[in-house]
Amino acid sequence: MTVTRADIAPTPIIETQDLVRDFRRGARRTRAVDHMTFAIQPGEAVGYIGANGAGKSTTIKMLTGILKPTSGRARTCGLDPMRQRIEVARQVGVVFGQRSQLWWDLPLHESFTILAAIHRLDPAEAQARTARLVDQLEMGPQLDTPVRSLSLGQRMRAEIAAALLHSPRLLILDEPTIGLDVLSKQRLREFLVEERRQRGTTLLLTTHDMGDIERLCDRVLVVDRGRLAFDGTLQGLAATVGAERLLVIDLAVPTPPLEGVQRARLVDSESDGLRQRLAFDATQTTAAAVLADVSRRAEVRDLTIEEPNIEDVVRRIYATSRGS
Amino acid sequence: MVDLTPYRAILRSRIRAQLQYRTSFVTDILGTVGVGLTELAEVWVIFHNVDVLGGLDFTAALLVFALSNICFSIADMVVGHLDQLPTYIRAGTIDAFYVRPLPLLAQFMSSEISLRRIGRLTVAIIVLAIALARAEIAWDTATVVLLILSVLSGTAIFSALFTAAGGLQFFVVDGAEFTNAFTYGGSYAAQQPQRVFPDPLRIFWTFVVPTAFVAYLPAVAILDLPGNVLAPTWLAWCTPLAAVFAWVVAGSCWRAGTRRYQGAGG
């Protein structure tokens, strides 16, 4: 028996080859996805970012069998989503941030019951899985609440639980944290990290929030006008565009500029050094470490942290890729 | 054997949702009873003025009315929401259907059930009982089989019309007015003694949109009335064939519609 390459290399869980998708609006023809080629291996966590209308949702729809590619190839879990949509649906969980997959007029627990039946889960197994997800996502109190009465944060956690009910190999999240408050975002991210740690679920998510990318993803794809503008690690992205966070520190007394803080760069100092701004790379150090270093030198009265703006990051990537 | 568990779970939940608000549910049922009675009144008014219309007397007309209304109510109850497809498209529900491991059409069909149509169905069943009691029918096995076959096939024909209408909605979003001509128009045509129509219309409602098979042809055969060139008595036995034909067309419309959605993206 010969050992082929396919026996050794794992099949990518997502694979696109020269994927193209055109839309026609009247006589005009626009290209939403333009010769996109990439592969995602099982177990990866990939952030898929780009401006509005860059082609993110269109790609996801082609990967899940909702849209037919104009040309090129899309494979999800090794399957053709157009021909094997149902088989793909068994192995993939999808959350479209703006569109609910729950039954809005029924108590939340009924949506879980129905979805378990739709996926033909064994009742005992479904119950255990639901209980675990409800527990981890802290949704027990909402089980009897009609979906339409849930808050946005509660609904999003419910959507994610619903998408994970059948223990999919691949979880696709389209804008999962949009509109959520800081606390809800954090709980959601912690849950996703834990879920991936336990089950090794592959994650593909689109987002406008750099925090999602930093805390959840080990790889980033940036799409610009339907084309792949960047494919690499978060560190690579930061190195390319300098996706630094800004620590704004108010000090008790006027202090000379805080040069030479470990792994941080002084941006500016104002009011005789009462307020100073330090930039740092979140992949290299933490806000706490920077703060500790500063505290050794001066008394800190107040501080704020400014996250890098994903739109800025994307814009800078676009400038780089379009310029070259 | 197809495992129906998912569909049962969905339908159970739909029924529970509708029974949640008792008052509005009862009002809705009374509403469809009203629709049924209004249409019945129309038949009564006509036969108050004439004894025979299109070869049918009042009893025969009641039988036609009952058969067509039974079939239409059941179809409307089970798949009537298919022509609401643009609403599903706008709400994005349709994308959720694509990412579930069930056939799309089966999901759409089971996504809703309009229990309130039971009102109109009840009116139709009572009228059927009255018509059958008034008519002097020579009951034998063949008559009973024909009656059952007609109700099953007629329901299938109307369901096919709704499905075809659903498929066409992918092409003409907001085309409900257009497809209503076939669904509700077909229901109206099915209630009429076909001989009141000019021949081209009769041919249309028999061989293109086969609603003549739902009630008129079976009624003529059950009552043993004389047939005619466009409606020989034996044609009543072809009702299942008409249903199969309707479903072939409906299936094609639906497939074309979903392909179009995947092609155009709504």
Side-chain angles (χ1 to χ4, degrees):
Chain A
M1 220 178 97
T2 50
V3 178
T4 61
R5 209 182 105 75
D7 294 329
I8 305 160
T11 314
I13 200 155
I14 290 177
E15 196 178 12
T16 71
Q17 185 82 50
D18 278 323
L19 193 62
V20 172
R21 173 66 213 205
D22 293 337
F23 285 110
R24 287 174 80 159
R25 288 278 175 267
R28 271 188 48 212
R29 204 178 173 82
T30 51
R31 182 150 287 187
V33 173
D34 191 3
H35 292 92
M36 192 94 81
T37 301
F38 64 87
I40 295 174
Q41 301 302 328
E44 279 194 280
V46 179
Y48 192 41
I49 62 178
N52 286 326
K56 304 185 299 276
S57 297
T58 307
T59 312
I60 288 178
K61 285 184 173 183
M62 285 193 281
L63 291 171
T64 48
I66 298 173
L67 278 181
K68 187 181 176 193
T70 302
S71 67
R73 209 172 89 108
R75 289 287 177 275
T76 306
C77 301
L79 304 161
D80 177 351
M82 283 310 292
R83 292 169 177 278
Q84 295 157 295
R85 178 185 67 78
I86 289 180
E87 194 47 49
V88 169
R90 285 202 185 100
Q91 302 186 31
V92 180
V94 189
V95 174
F96 298 107
Q98 311 288 58
R99 301 172 160 192
S100 181
Q101 56 182 324
L102 305 168
W103 281 263
W104 68 281
D105 53 354
L106 292 172
L108 177 57
H109 67 86
E110 294 218 27
S111 284
F112 294 143
T113 312
I114 299 169
L115 283 168
I118 284 178
H119 284 282
R120 301 176 202 277
L121 302 182
D122 168 69
E125 184 193 321
Q127 219 162 25
R129 177 79 175 147
T130 308
R132 221 201 83 194
L133 288 168
V134 165
D135 178 51
Q136 283 186 318
L137 285 161
E138 298 166 49
M139 292 179 35
Q142 283 90 47
L143 277 180
D144 291 325
T145 310
V147 172
R148 62 162 184 272
S149 310
L150 296 179
S151 74
L152 186 61
Q154 292 167 341
R155 210 208 78 203
M156 192 50 70
R157 278 181 283 145
E159 296 281 351
I160 288 177
L164 285 170
L165 201 62
H166 59 293
S167 310
R169 296 173 57 202
L170 169 65
L171 179 63
I172 299 179
L173 305 176
D174 194 5
E175 301 283 358
T177 57
I178 199 163
L180 299 194
D181 60 68
V182 180
L183 197 65
S184 301
K185 276 185 194 177
Q186 193 185 328
R187 286 162 84 183
L188 203 56
R189 288 169 187 157
E190 280 167 7
F191 165 77
L192 288 169
V193 167
E194 181 61 18
E195 167 71 19
R196 281 183 21 78
R197 196 183 60 75
Q198 288 186 3
R199 297 196 49 256
T201 314
T202 311
L203 178 66
L204 175 66
L205 72 91
T206 75
T207 183
H208 278 94
D209 191 320
M210 202 59 196
D212 288 345
I213 301 284
E214 283 179 354
R215 288 173 186 78
L216 293 171
C217 303
D218 31 55
R219 182 177 161 200
V220 184
L221 300 174
V222 182
V223 60
D224 177 23
R225 293 184 292 198
R227 283 172 178 273
L228 209 53
F230 177 88
D231 177 357
T233 58
L234 181 60
Q235 286 87 340
L237 183 73
T240 311
V241 297
E244 291 174 314
R245 283 201 226 173
L246 211 58
L247 188 63
V248 183
I249 299 175
D250 287 344
L251 300 167
V253 293
T255 310
L258 295 162
E259 301 281 3
V261 176
Q262 277 206 352
R263 295 199 179 91
R265 179 172 60 81
L266 181 70
V267 178
D268 64 357
S269 163
E270 58 185 69
S271 311
D272 293 328
L274 273 174
R275 168 171 287 186
Q276 308 207 16
R277 290 190 175 81
L278 293 164
F280 66 97
D281 183 340
T283 61
Q284 300 293 321
T285 183
T286 62
V290 176
L291 183 63
D293 208 359
V294 170
S295 302
R296 273 195 285 275
R297 301 204 210 167
E299 190 189 337
V300 177
R301 277 168 43 119
D302 198 5
L303 66 100
T304 53
I305 298 174
E306 288 173 12
E307 300 263 340
N309 182 324
I310 209 159
E311 273 73 26
D312 283 344
V313 173
V314 166
R315 225 176 349 259
R316 272 179 272 172
I317 285 278
Y318 286 179
T320 317
S321 71
R322 286 175 193 178
S324 62
Chain B
M1 188 61 206
V2 185
D3 176 11
L4 295 175
T5 319
Y7 308 108
R8 274 203 298 271
I10 299 171
L11 287 175
R12 259 203 307 273
S13 75
R14 295 323 307 153
I15 291 169
R16 261 201 301 277
Q18 287 171 44
L19 296 181
Q20 237 170 40
Y21 305 100
R22 288 295 157 103
T23 326
S24 94
F25 181 65
V26 171
T27 320
D28 282 350
I29 286 194
L30 291 178
T32 70
V33 168
V35 172
L37 290 179
T38 311
E39 298 205 342
L40 180 61
E42 195 183 317
V43 179
W44 183 80
V45 166
I46 291 171
F47 283 91
H48 187 67
N49 294 300
V50 296
D51 290 334
V52 176
L53 181 68
L56 300 188
D57 62 8
F58 185 43
T59 304
L62 284 183
L63 183 57
V64 171
F65 171 89
L67 282 176
S68 71
N69 266 276
I70 288 173
C71 298
F72 186 77
S73 309
I74 299 175
D76 201 9
M77 176 159 66
V78 179
V79 296
H81 54 277
L82 279 181
D83 67 358
Q84 309 273 310
L85 209 70
T87 322
Y88 287 79
I89 292 176
R90 269 192 291 271
T93 322
I94 187 166
D95 290 349
F97 286 160
Y98 273 95
V99 298
R100 287 182 193 146
L102 295 174
L104 284 176
L105 183 54
Q107 285 191 66
F108 271 107
M109 286 188 163
S110 61
S111 69
E112 193 54 271
I113 179 165
S114 312
L115 281 186
R116 61 177 187 278
R117 313 262 190 236
I118 278 181
R120 188 171 167 183
L121 178 61
T122 311
V123 172
I125 289 173
I126 293 170
V127 173
L128 178 71
I130 294 170
L132 291 179
R134 279 172 62 116
E136 284 147 19
I137 297 170
W139 287 104
D140 56 18
T141 319
T143 328
V144 176
V145 170
L146 186 60
L147 185 64
I148 295 169
L149 214 55
S150 302
V151 172
L152 294 179
S153 308
T155 305
I157 288 173
F158 278 130
S159 305
L161 286 183
F162 278 114
T163 305
L168 292 175
Q169 302 282 330
F170 283 105
F171 294 90
V172 273
V173 173
D174 289 328
E177 292 297 332
F178 170 70
T179 53
N180 278 353
F182 298 98
T183 50
Y184 293 91
S187 155
Y188 185 76
Q191 288 177 35
Q192 310 305 321
Q194 297 297 308
R195 275 167 57 191
V196 302
F197 294 128
D199 284 353
L201 262 187
R202 285 187 67 185
I203 291 171
F204 180 79
W205 291 120
T206 308
F207 299 105
V208 183
V209 179
T211 54
F213 284 93
V214 173
Y216 176 72
L217 294 170
V220 165
I222 289 168
L223 298 172
D224 207 14
L225 300 176
N228 54 69
V229 183
L230 275 179
T233 321
W234 56 264
L235 205 54
W237 289 95
C238 298
T239 304
L241 289 180
V244 170
F245 163 73
W247 266 103
V248 169
V249 175
S252 311
C253 284
W254 181 262
R255 250 192 314 282
T258 51
R259 291 248 166 88
R260 153 106 185 170
Y261 182 76
Q262 290 172 315

